[in-house]
Amino acid sequence: MSDTNENESQIILPDDEKLMLSVSPHISTCETTRRIMCKVLLALFPAVFASVLLFGMRAFWVILFTTVCCVGAEALWCFFAKKPVLNTIGDCSAVVTGVLLAMNLSAEIPYYICLIGAFLAIWLAKQVFGGLGHNPFNPALVARVGLLIAFPAAMTTWGPVTGFSVDGPVKGQCVVQGVMYDTPPAALTAPDAVSCATPLGIVKTTPKILGQGFEAEGNFAAIDDQGKYWDFFLGKKSGCLGETSVLALLIGGLMLIGFKLINWRVPVCYIGTVAIITGAVNYFHPGVTPTPLFHILTGGLMIGAIFMATDMVTSPITNSGCVIFAIGCGVVASVIRIWGNYPEGVSFSIIFMNALVPLIDRLCSQRPFGYVAKRG
Amino acid sequence: MTFKGGIHPAGDGKALSEKSPIQTAPLFDKYQVIVGQNVGKPPKVLVKVGDEVKKNQLIAEADGFVSANLHAPTSGKVSAIAEVPGPMGAAVMAIEITADKLDQAVEPMTALDWQNSDPAALKARVAEAGIVGMGGAAFPSAVKLSPPPEKKIDTLVINAAECEPYLTADHRLMVEEPEKVVIGTAILGKILNVKEMWIGVEVNKPDAIAALEKYAGAYGVKIASLKVQYPQGSEKQLILAITKRVVPAGGLPMDAGCVVQNVGSAYAVTDAVVNGLPLVERVTSITGEVVKNPGNWRLRIGTPVIKAIELAGGVTRQPGKLILGGPMMGFAQRTSLVPVCKNTSGILLLPPELSVEYTSGSCIRCGRCVQGCPMNLVPCLLGCAIESEKFDLAKENHVMDCLECGSCAYVCPAKRPLVQHMRRAKAEIRRKK
């Protein structure tokens, strides 16, 4: 095949030596793991922004420090495990874990707890299982629960919503010994002296403090006040950095759905289940638990349902699996919130359901093309 | 009309060549006709080195039921019968014909009045002309026309979806030769004695649909406008989209009462029956971002790919990959010396920036492959199972039903080589049998 032609000199032909061999398909989407993680970060931005707005610069430093610790922990593990360091941290999954973990901490958290949390998340919850994609549980939630057990006091001490101000607390709802203050009493304005309970924490302790028993109608009058719902929605309530502003979380959730990164069934079924269960209990026994809207607007339900339960790695693959998973999360979270010892059950519910994901995946395995339904 | 699953590749590259009319290639000095280019048994070679052959002369005869005749693409001398680089990578036997440039043809076979012919005679003609599935499979067409008597065939589907990105050969063929395509369909329909004849075309080819519609009615052929969705041209998905029937797992189209033939093959049937000509040429897209003048050419079987690239003006810069077929299921070549075969639907030259070597990451269970799988499999779990060599688990999870369409690997953000995994598992499972 070496016939030469006069005109051939102008025609450039491919050089066989430089041809690449590969298995089909020869084209591929531009989407990569790193791009997915960056999109998740983008969706987290409204919540991050809101937390800084609500809790001040300290929130920003907590988020930054926790994230840096997570990336550092990942790099350190890769160094010890002789894995490619840049490749592993290059997928940006540790950054997402770091931000998510920080969103689960309070603005008052000591930095050493952030550091421990980062190692719990990256080492214990992720890398020991084989790294990204192999972890059965959401790393940020494992770290949160681990910290909750190890540092119960620090993890449940929340500062007031101060607003973005360096002058100390300006506005916040604060409960001191069961008494609700819209603005912290003057004697308590020194930041260190102020410790605020979350609305859910108040719900958990109020009946005991009031000593009226669980059947009393007015148990939650101080906190479950419809006039406060709007504040709850915007984020003017105590809590972890990321769980306060429902508005910011909803914007992030819509972004995730818009980016096609999460299955909308998970947040919808999760929140729906909590609403139905708490609604039913509240309807028959208003003294046992506040209204469903209160449950939706407070605590970690929003961030859990939108950012945690939807984690691709630790949630089911099929649509039907996602529905079962989300309903399970909703049931567990409601049960803990209503009857459990802890005020909040979202993290436990998600970790509990994470453990069931392989079973759910098996249960919901789809029928391949061309098979008929099995009988019997 | 469509199926569940599948993908929509961004930038399908069809614009490069879809407006370019079919040009006929000039005669080249040498042709290398690969002997085993059909699925099944390679035909028996009838010529020896030194023989003079004429165009359309039978040079290799079908050997057994699943085999196909081969004919000389031009007149000249058999200069070698030797191994050449084959399109699947391995070296294969080919008959090399040095053209005498006279292009003298043997007498064509008798033209058949197909409307009044015996279906058996028509079928014999399809076999005689050496027609195979020209979309890529290269399965002998006559075999598909001979379903076992217990299988009732009532529908013929002509696959003109051309869902592979970049390829436009079928598109141009339908625009320029719609009547011959429709007649070919009608002939195949007559052989099978079917109630319904469909030509399935993706809606991104409105000019092809309009051209076919002009003739379809007169021959009782229906045109199905299919949604643009890869792999719409996969037999099972095509049958589902058009007839709403599901081909059972492990089954063939005939199990759903259908026979599927490629549109290029239907065109070749018309030539064989009406004009008495065997299959010695086909329309091929020579395309890709680095091709100087991308377009569609009528190439003789055996044309060296390098000559075809020359026809298109060569390349503007060094390509990263040379692919025979489309970018989703085509085969990357290590040399441009491979010859064109009956199933070479495209000669695709991808630029280096599209030919990147990916590092495969861990599966993040995003589920995109599950959404994309037209066979409703769970490629991510299969990939992990195969990676840890659990072939039994892969078999339990129906890896054998995989079409290797590449939808999963296309959408995978971790760039996992899923098709490679599936092929490996299939090979391992077949070996154990």
Coordinates of all heavy atoms in Angstrom, one line a residue, chain B residues 108-145:
Chain B
P108 N -24.4 -8.8 -15.2 CA -25.2 -8.8 -13.9 C -26.1 -10.0 -13.9 O -26.4 -10.6 -14.9 CB -26.0 -7.5 -14.0 CG -25.9 -7.1 -15.4 CD -24.7 -7.7 -16.1
M109 N -26.5 -10.4 -12.7 CA -27.4 -11.5 -12.5 C -28.8 -11.0 -13.1 O -29.0 -9.8 -13.3 CB -27.6 -11.7 -11.0 CG -26.4 -12.2 -10.3 SD -26.6 -12.3 -8.5 CE -26.2 -10.7 -8.0
T110 N -29.6 -12.0 -13.5 CA -30.9 -11.6 -14.1 C -31.7 -10.7 -13.2 O -31.8 -11.0 -12.0 CB -31.7 -12.8 -14.5 OG1 -31.7 -13.7 -13.3 CG2 -31.2 -13.5 -15.7
A111 N -32.2 -9.6 -13.7 CA -33.1 -8.8 -12.9 C -34.4 -9.5 -12.6 O -34.9 -10.2 -13.4 CB -33.3 -7.5 -13.7
L112 N -34.8 -9.4 -11.4 CA -36.1 -10.1 -11.0 C -37.2 -9.1 -10.9 O -37.0 -7.9 -10.4 CB -35.9 -10.7 -9.6 CG -34.8 -11.8 -9.5 CD1 -34.7 -12.3 -8.1 CD2 -35.1 -13.0 -10.4
D113 N -38.3 -9.5 -11.4 CA -39.5 -8.6 -11.2 C -40.1 -9.0 -9.8 O -40.8 -10.0 -9.7 CB -40.6 -9.0 -12.3 CG -41.9 -8.3 -12.1 OD1 -41.9 -7.4 -11.2 OD2 -42.9 -8.7 -12.7
W114 N -39.6 -8.3 -8.8 CA -39.8 -8.7 -7.5 C -41.3 -8.9 -7.1 O -41.6 -9.7 -6.3 CB -39.1 -7.8 -6.5 CG -39.6 -6.4 -6.4 CD1 -39.2 -5.4 -7.2 CD2 -40.5 -5.9 -5.5 NE1 -39.8 -4.2 -6.9 CE2 -40.6 -4.5 -5.8 CE3 -41.3 -6.4 -4.5 CZ2 -41.5 -3.7 -5.2 CZ3 -42.2 -5.6 -3.8 CH2 -42.3 -4.2 -4.2
Q115 N -42.1 -8.0 -7.7 CA -43.5 -8.1 -7.2 C -44.2 -9.4 -7.6 O -45.1 -9.8 -7.0 CB -44.3 -6.9 -7.8 CG -44.2 -5.7 -6.8 CD -44.4 -4.4 -7.5 OE1 -44.0 -4.2 -8.6 NE2 -45.0 -3.5 -6.7
N116 N -43.6 -10.0 -8.7 CA -44.2 -11.3 -9.2 C -43.3 -12.4 -9.0 O -43.5 -13.5 -9.6 CB -44.6 -11.1 -10.7 CG -45.6 -10.0 -10.8 OD1 -46.6 -9.9 -10.1 ND2 -45.3 -9.1 -11.7
S117 N -42.3 -12.3 -8.2 CA -41.3 -13.4 -8.0 C -41.7 -14.2 -6.8 O -42.4 -13.7 -5.9 CB -39.9 -12.8 -7.8 OG -39.4 -12.3 -9.0
D118 N -41.2 -15.4 -6.8 CA -41.3 -16.3 -5.7 C -40.4 -15.8 -4.5 O -39.3 -15.4 -4.8 CB -40.8 -17.7 -6.2 CG -40.9 -18.7 -5.1 OD1 -41.7 -18.5 -4.2 OD2 -40.1 -19.6 -5.1
P119 N -41.0 -15.7 -3.3 CA -40.1 -15.2 -2.2 C -38.9 -16.0 -2.0 O -37.8 -15.4 -1.7 CB -41.1 -15.4 -1.0 CG -42.4 -15.4 -1.5 CD -42.4 -15.9 -2.9
A120 N -38.9 -17.3 -2.3 CA -37.7 -18.1 -2.2 C -36.6 -17.6 -3.2 O -35.4 -17.6 -2.8 CB -38.0 -19.6 -2.4
A121 N -37.0 -17.2 -4.4 CA -36.0 -16.8 -5.3 C -35.4 -15.4 -4.9 O -34.2 -15.2 -5.1 CB -36.7 -16.6 -6.7
L122 N -36.3 -14.6 -4.3 CA -35.8 -13.3 -3.8 C -34.8 -13.5 -2.7 O -33.8 -12.9 -2.6 CB -37.0 -12.5 -3.3 CG -38.0 -12.0 -4.4 CD1 -39.2 -11.3 -3.7 CD2 -37.3 -11.0 -5.4
K123 N -35.1 -14.5 -1.8 CA -34.2 -14.7 -0.7 C -32.9 -15.3 -1.2 O -31.8 -14.9 -0.7 CB -34.9 -15.7 0.3 CG -34.1 -15.9 1.5 CD -35.0 -16.5 2.6 CE -35.1 -18.0 2.5 NZ -35.9 -18.6 3.5
A124 N -33.0 -16.2 -2.2 CA -31.8 -16.7 -2.8 C -30.9 -15.6 -3.4 O -29.7 -15.6 -3.2 CB -32.1 -17.8 -3.8
R125 N -31.6 -14.6 -3.9 CA -30.8 -13.5 -4.5 C -30.1 -12.7 -3.5 O -28.9 -12.3 -3.6 CB -31.8 -12.6 -5.4 CG -31.1 -11.4 -5.9 CD -29.9 -11.7 -6.8 NE -30.2 -12.5 -7.9 CZ -30.7 -12.1 -9.1 NH1 -30.9 -10.8 -9.3 NH2 -30.9 -12.9 -10.1
V126 N -30.8 -12.5 -2.3 CA -30.2 -11.7 -1.2 C -28.9 -12.5 -0.7 O -27.9 -11.9 -0.5 CB -31.2 -11.6 0.0 CG1 -30.5 -11.0 1.2 CG2 -32.3 -10.7 -0.5
A127 N -29.0 -13.8 -0.7 CA -27.8 -14.6 -0.3 C -26.7 -14.5 -1.3 O -25.6 -14.3 -1.0 CB -28.3 -16.0 0.0
E128 N -27.2 -14.7 -2.6 CA -26.2 -14.7 -3.7 C -25.4 -13.4 -3.7 O -24.2 -13.4 -4.0 CB -27.0 -14.8 -5.0 CG -26.4 -15.7 -6.0 CD -27.4 -15.8 -7.2 OE1 -28.6 -16.0 -7.0 OE2 -26.9 -15.7 -8.3
A129 N -26.1 -12.3 -3.4 CA -25.4 -11.0 -3.5 C -24.5 -10.7 -2.4 O -23.9 -9.6 -2.3 CB -26.5 -9.9 -3.6
G130 N -24.5 -11.6 -1.4 CA -23.5 -11.4 -0.3 C -23.9 -10.3 0.7 O -23.1 -9.7 1.3
I131 N -25.2 -10.1 0.8 CA -25.7 -8.9 1.6 C -25.6 -9.3 3.1 O -26.1 -10.4 3.5 CB -27.1 -8.5 1.2 CG1 -27.0 -8.0 -0.2 CG2 -27.6 -7.4 2.2 CD1 -28.4 -7.7 -0.8
V132 N -25.0 -8.4 3.9 CA -25.0 -8.6 5.4 C -25.5 -7.4 6.0 O -25.8 -6.4 5.4 CB -23.5 -8.9 5.8 CG1 -22.9 -10.1 5.2 CG2 -22.7 -7.6 5.6
G133 N -25.7 -7.4 7.3 CA -26.1 -6.3 8.1 C -25.1 -5.2 8.0 O -23.9 -5.3 8.5
M134 N -25.4 -4.1 7.4 CA -24.4 -3.1 7.1 C -24.3 -2.0 8.1 O -23.5 -1.0 8.0 CB -24.7 -2.5 5.7 CG -24.4 -3.5 4.6 SD -25.1 -3.1 3.0 CE -24.0 -1.7 2.5
G135 N -25.0 -2.1 9.2 CA -24.9 -1.1 10.3 C -23.8 -1.4 11.2 O -23.4 -0.5 12.0
G136 N -23.2 -2.5 11.2 CA -22.1 -2.8 12.0 C -21.9 -4.3 12.4 O -20.9 -4.8 12.6
A137 N -23.1 -5.0 12.5 CA -23.1 -6.4 12.9 C -22.5 -7.3 11.8 O -21.9 -8.3 12.1 CB -24.4 -6.8 13.3
A138 N -22.8 -7.0 10.6 CA -22.4 -7.9 9.5 C -22.9 -9.3 9.6 O -22.2 -10.3 9.2 CB -20.8 -7.9 9.3
F139 N -24.1 -9.4 10.0 CA -24.8 -10.7 10.1 C -25.4 -10.9 8.7 O -26.1 -10.1 8.2 CB -25.9 -10.7 11.2 CG -26.4 -12.0 11.5 CD1 -25.7 -12.9 12.3 CD2 -27.6 -12.5 11.0 CE1 -26.2 -14.2 12.6 CE2 -28.1 -13.7 11.2 CZ -27.3 -14.6 12.1
P140 N -25.2 -12.1 8.1 CA -25.8 -12.4 6.8 C -27.3 -12.2 6.8 O -28.0 -12.8 7.5 CB -25.4 -13.9 6.6 CG -24.2 -14.1 7.4 CD -24.4 -13.2 8.6
S141 N -27.7 -11.3 5.8 CA -29.1 -10.9 5.8 C -30.0 -12.1 5.5 O -31.1 -12.2 6.0 CB -29.3 -9.8 4.8 OG -28.6 -8.7 5.1
A142 N -29.6 -13.0 4.6 CA -30.5 -14.0 4.2 C -30.8 -15.0 5.4 O -31.9 -15.5 5.4 CB -29.8 -14.8 3.1
V143 N -29.9 -15.1 6.3 CA -30.2 -15.9 7.5 C -31.3 -15.4 8.3 O -32.2 -16.1 8.7 CB -28.9 -16.1 8.3 CG1 -29.2 -16.9 9.5 CG2 -27.7 -16.6 7.5
K144 N -31.3 -14.0 8.4 CA -32.4 -13.4 9.2 C -33.7 -13.6 8.4 O -34.8 -13.5 9.0 CB -32.1 -11.9 9.3 CG -31.1 -11.6 10.4 CD -31.3 -10.1 10.7 CE -30.1 -9.5 11.4 NZ -30.3 -8.0 11.5
L145 N -33.7 -13.8 7.1 CA -34.9 -13.9 6.4 C -35.4 -15.4 6.4 O -36.4 -15.7 5.8 CB -34.6 -13.5 4.9 CG -34.2 -12.0 4.7 CD1 -33.9 -11.7 3.3 CD2 -35.3 -11.1 5.2

